[in-house]
Amino acid sequence: MTELTQRLVTFIQDNLVLDGDDIKVDETTPLLVSGLLDSLRTARLLNFLRKDVGVPIPAAKLDPDNFKDVATIVAMVRELESV
């Protein structure tokens, strides 16, 4: 697991999983299907990516296909870093 993957998994587990939810997040946990990402949580995730990871996500990338799971988010961030 890469450092970015681990940071995202930890952030999501610590900040987006509600107390009492029995969800263990890993790089393949379906974030949208499981209900982990709603509009408020997505905003918190985008803020984390911008401030802590240093990669702002442009509006053109705000597609559900880019937020299926941690692995797809990491792939999108890597793509944006290489531009």
Side-chain angles (χ1 to χ4, degrees), residues 48-62:
F48 171 78
L49 290 169
R50 182 176 52 83
K51 284 186 166 182
D52 294 48
V53 177
V55 178
I57 307 301
K61 291 290 187 182
L62 297 180

Side-chain angles (χ1 to χ4, degrees), residues 9-25 29 31 34-38 40-42 44:
V9 166
T10 301
F11 173 80
I12 292 167
Q13 187 72 54
D14 293 349
N15 297 282
L16 304 184
V17 175
L18 298 176
D19 290 340
D21 282 355
D22 189 25
I23 298 173
K24 178 69 175 137
V25 177
T29 302
L31 301 177
S34 68
L36 274 175
L37 284 184
D38 57 19
L40 180 59
R41 291 180 187 146
T42 300
R44 292 176 69 190

